[in-house]
């Protein structure tokens, strides 16, 4: 009779938002990128995924590995990316078991994985990075793997490219690498959150529009059809990677901001140069860009930087000490009533209802933003995955609700 | 006492819309471009400038040269571009007079120039190309200059770069040239309108929005700040020029269309890659792009091509025999009541109220277009400047109204 012990491990994982963008794969199966990228890990006090990995000899083999995401069972049998992660982690566990036969043979047990995001899917935030980071981290914990976050990033990358950057906190570089097997395509923390803890991120969530081109599909289109793209990947990004790492080491916000904005525009330019053209920025995004530029102009220095992923939402980076002129201005435009001004980073803005003189900002951009933003998320740089003791699977293997 | 004879010559000149775009100057004074470009001259039955150039020894020298545009006197003393054109034309006239002293000394007389556009400035169409082409052509006629349109294009180019392409009809290439003095930066007709007379252009005029970045300023910003731009100018456009000339010679619409759309996107990508980013396309423009792609998809072949200049208006090229599925579809979306469906090219669409099945087109794009287009202009490829006998200056030198 099978041992009924249920082995469990749980972790949180953060979202990350790139400042030097990942766009384009040199190998679609291994998720190897055409260029390096760099991101800021966002605080899990605002946005996080919680995942419990469990396994047991008592789980019916007929069910195989299962993944329940936000309460609904996923069909992972058709998800090559998930299967690749699970297989790689099992290989590592199996190595441990082979070296030490006294260990329980967890690599042979079915996995029961339960994952929940604390942010609404309606927010339009790519949850796959946090999701795959949490999945890999939770199973690595369950399997008691000795590998470092950087070593595990090779595995998370196969789930979702940008997931490899969510295994660490602070400021994280994903090196594209050059090897065909992807072994040097890994993420490394170039500075912890504590190095530059004042970094804030204000996410302006654009009211739901039509569905965007999925990023994997968009990347393939760009790589195949954009005659400008090779210049970006080969000649522009490498210098920007070096420059932004220097800016982060020196805590040089104007340089960081300048590179961030230029790289966002450069990435979206390559999308537009694709055939058919890919548009992620809409008129509301354009208004946000205009207002960030206007705020910097009014401030007389670069105090804010916009960046856009594969969607219209603006992410605006700034430092805590300029909260009033940056976040305060957006709060004055969007209204205190909008969802999202409260929360872990909200105290700093309590009572702040105006930043820059709105008369000095583009009035059409203000109108476009007022009508086009459905909520904000006020957050900042944060830590990597954290082990937690609150499991989403019971001691007997039952799936629990997180109660979030 | 001065001779009171008033010498007069009048001409029309057309608008042209580039399919390989001019963006970027290698010399801002001489208007020398960073890359060659190619345009379609649009019919003057729809859009034209009429200009009368006159001169007389009886015109008061104290007034100097004057230009009256759409009824209002312009201050040309501050327009270096206009002054450069007038000076170059006087030099050529002076050469004639030196060689043949019996000629009246027109080069020494003040010029009185009157110009009118038949299209509303509200249409947001760049009128400077037609305007400078008409000015140069009218004065060249007045001065009885022997120079060919290609030779005169050197002069018109100094007024407005794209004006050099409006001196000829049909399909016109502007060679960037390599010489510092610009003597090889000239326009030449690569095919007359009669070579491919079926070419049509449907202009969707986007409801007035905020003023765009002026193109001269935008070009400078792009050349200075976009790291992608050199790739466009040096490595992408040259091949496209060759390819589109071949497509025109072969009357190969799918190839012509493909290059046209890609080059429009490539140009706007370089605008977006500028710092600060320049946006000419808005959500209505995006909707037009989407619908052109959808119409091509429904048609099962490439029957329409969009292109956008430095503004949100869409210009859609197609051939007469697919009028129903292209223009007919837009007419069905925008409604017959919209201004612009009548006119010289309107007969073809009489009674046509539907093209492609609207159910097969993106519904959000249809909505965006319905609300964002203020008028259309239905036109086609046409001839170059034409000499006319209806003058805007009387025999005694009085400024007349054209009565258009």
């Amino acid at each position: 009779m099978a041992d009924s012990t249920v082995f469990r491990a749980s972790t949180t994982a953060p979202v990350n938002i790139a400042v030097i963008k990942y766009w384009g794969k040199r190998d679609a199966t291994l998720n190897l990128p055409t260029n390096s990228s760099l991101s800021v890990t966002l605080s899990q006090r605002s946005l996080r995924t919680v995942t419990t990995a469990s396994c047991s000899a008592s789980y019916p083999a007929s069910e195989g590995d299962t993944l329940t995401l936000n309460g609904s069972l996923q069909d992972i049998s058709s998800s090559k990316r998930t299967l690749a992660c699970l297989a790689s982690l099992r290989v590592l566990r199996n190595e441990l078991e082979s070296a030490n036969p006294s260990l329980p043979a967890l690599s042979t047990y079915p996995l029961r994985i339960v994952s929940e995001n604390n942010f609404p899917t309606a927010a339009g935030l790519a949850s796959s990075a946090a999701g795959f980071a949490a999945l890999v981290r939770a199973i690595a914990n369950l399997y008691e793997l000795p590998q470092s976050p950087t070593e595990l990033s090779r595995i998370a990358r196969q789930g979702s490219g940008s997931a490899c950057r969510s295994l660490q906190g602070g400021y994280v570089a994903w090196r594209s690498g050059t090897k065909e097997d992807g072994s040097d395509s890994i993420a490394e923390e170039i500075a912890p959150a504590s190095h530059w803890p004042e970094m804030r991120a204000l996410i302006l969530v654009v009211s739901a529009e039509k569905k965007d081109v999925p990023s994997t599909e968009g990347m393939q289109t760009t790589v195949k059809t954009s005659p400008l793209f090779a210049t970006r990947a080969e000649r522009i990004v490498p210098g920007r990677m070096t420059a932004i790492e220097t800016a982060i080491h020196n805590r040089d916000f104007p340089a960081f901001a300048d590179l961030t904005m230029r790289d966002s525009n450069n990435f979206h330019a390559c999308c537009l140069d694709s055939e058919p053209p890919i548009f992620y920025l809409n008129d509301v995004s354009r208004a946000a860009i205009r207002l960030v530029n206007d705020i910097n102009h009014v401030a007389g220095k670069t105090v804010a930087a916009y960046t856009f992923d594969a969607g219209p939402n603006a992410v605006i980076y700034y430092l805590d000490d300029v909260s009033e002129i940056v976040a305060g201005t957006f709060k004055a435009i969007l209204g205190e009533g909008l969802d999202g001004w409260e929360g872990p980073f909200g105290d700093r803005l309590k009572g702040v209802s105006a930043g820059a003189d709105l008369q000095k900002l583009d009035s059409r951009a203000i109108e476009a933003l007022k009508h086009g933003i459905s909520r904000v998320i006020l957050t900042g740089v944060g830590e990597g995955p954290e082990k937690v003791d609150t499991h989403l699977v019971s001691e007997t293997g039952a799936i629990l609700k997180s109660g979030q």
Side-chain angles (χ1 to χ4, degrees), chain A:
Chain A
M1 210 183 119
D3 179 356
S4 65
T5 307
V6 171
F7 298 86
R8 300 179 297 174
S10 296
T11 191
T12 65
V15 165
N16 72 77
I17 301 286
V19 289
I20 302 296
K21 299 295 188 188
Y22 159 47
W23 194 253
K25 301 177 200 279
R26 61 184 169 92
D27 182 312
T29 305
L30 294 171
N31 268 346
L32 302 181
T34 48
N35 56 260
S36 297
S37 57
L38 195 143
S39 59
V40 179
T41 297
L42 299 186
S43 173
Q44 297 177 68
R45 292 159 63 200
S46 302
L47 303 169
R48 72 174 170 284
T49 294
V50 181
T51 297
T52 296
S54 74
C55 64
S56 174
S58 67
Y59 288 171
S62 60
E63 282 178 16
D65 300 327
T66 66
L67 170 62
T68 301
L69 180 58
N70 293 328
S72 62
L73 188 67
Q74 308 293 303
D75 177 14
I76 59 171
S77 67
S78 62
S79 168
K80 285 184 188 170
R81 303 194 168 287
T82 306
L83 297 177
C85 290
L86 301 186
S88 297
L89 291 159
R90 274 204 170 89
V91 166
L92 296 179
R93 172 66 189 183
N94 189 258
E95 287 171 6
L96 293 184
E97 292 166 4
S98 301
N100 181 357
S102 72
L103 291 175
L106 303 190
S107 66
T108 65
Y109 301 169
L111 285 159
R112 186 169 291 172
I113 308 158
V114 182
S115 187
E116 299 204 353
N117 300 322
N118 76 333
F119 44 95
T121 33
L125 291 163
S127 54
S128 62
F132 275 106
L135 177 131
V136 169
R137 183 71 265 174
I139 298 173
N141 291 351
L142 176 72
Y143 287 171
E144 297 186 324
L145 301 181
Q147 278 76 15
S148 70
T150 290
E151 290 169 312
L152 292 174
S153 74
R154 283 193 197 95
I155 298 174
R157 185 198 73 226
Q158 296 176 57
S160 167
S162 57
C164 74
R165 297 186 312 238
S166 271
L167 285 168
Q168 290 166 91
Y171 304 84
V172 181
W174 174 13
R175 311 296 179 192
S176 61
T178 55
K179 294 187 184 167
E180 279 192 24
D181 69 356
S183 58
D184 58 349
S185 185
I186 52 173
E188 53 189 33
E189 189 182 281
I190 64 152
S194 59
H195 168 73
W196 205 4
E198 301 85 2
M199 187 66 73
R200 297 289 171 267
L202 173 64
I203 306 176
L204 306 179
V205 180
V206 173
S207 311
E209 223 204 10
K210 65 166 186 177
K211 208 180 157 206
D212 295 308
V213 177
S215 61
T216 295
E217 181 190 329
M219 285 184 197
Q220 313 270 34
T221 301
T222 299
V223 172
K224 273 186 213 154
T225 67
S226 165
L228 292 173
F229 178 69
T231 300
R232 163 172 173 75
E234 294 162 18
R235 297 165 64 183
I236 298 174
V237 169
R240 285 186 175 163
M241 282 295 292
T242 308
I244 206 161
E245 286 181 53
T246 303
I248 291 166
H249 283 304
N250 298 338
R251 300 185 199 89
D252 177 350
F253 188 82
F256 171 88
D258 183 61
L259 290 157
T260 294
M261 294 187 281
R262 286 176 193 258
D263 202 68
S264 176
N265 292 330
N266 188 265
F267 146 51
H268 290 283
C270 289
C271 290
L272 172 49
D273 188 47
S274 306
E275 177 52 39
I278 303 164
F279 294 94
Y280 291 120
L281 306 179
N282 66 16
D283 285 356
V284 180
S285 315
R286 289 170 56 184
I289 288 175
R290 175 63 193 257
L291 289 171
V292 166
N293 283 337
D294 284 1
I295 288 170
N296 286 335
H297 188 74
V298 169
K301 58 182 178 176
T302 307
V303 293
Y306 56 79
T307 188
F308 296 82
D309 277 352
N313 294 345
V315 177
I316 299 167
Y317 284 114
Y318 62 96
L319 297 178
D320 187 65
D321 66 353
V322 294
S323 289
E324 288 201 20
I325 195 164
V326 182
T329 300
F330 283 102
K331 196 175 177 184
I333 290 170
L334 298 171
E336 297 188 38
L338 198 71
D339 195 22
W341 292 115
E342 305 296 321
F345 289 83
D347 283 355
R348 183 67 176 75
L349 285 184
K350 280 260 160 58
V352 171
S353 60
D357 179 355
L358 297 192
Q359 300 294 327
K360 293 182 178 167
L361 309 180
D362 188 83
S363 60
R364 285 172 187 271
I366 288 176
E367 283 309 303
L369 214 67
K370 258 187 198 170
H371 295 100
I373 300 296
S374 60
R375 60 168 294 161
V376 301
I377 296 163
L378 187 61
T379 185
V381 64
E383 307 297 334
E386 287 165 29
K387 202 167 184 168
V388 289
D389 294 327
T390 317
H391 302 299
L392 300 174
V393 175
S394 77
E395 287 180 6
T396 59
I399 293 171
L400 305 172
K401 300 221 168 189
S402 70
Q404 281 172 359

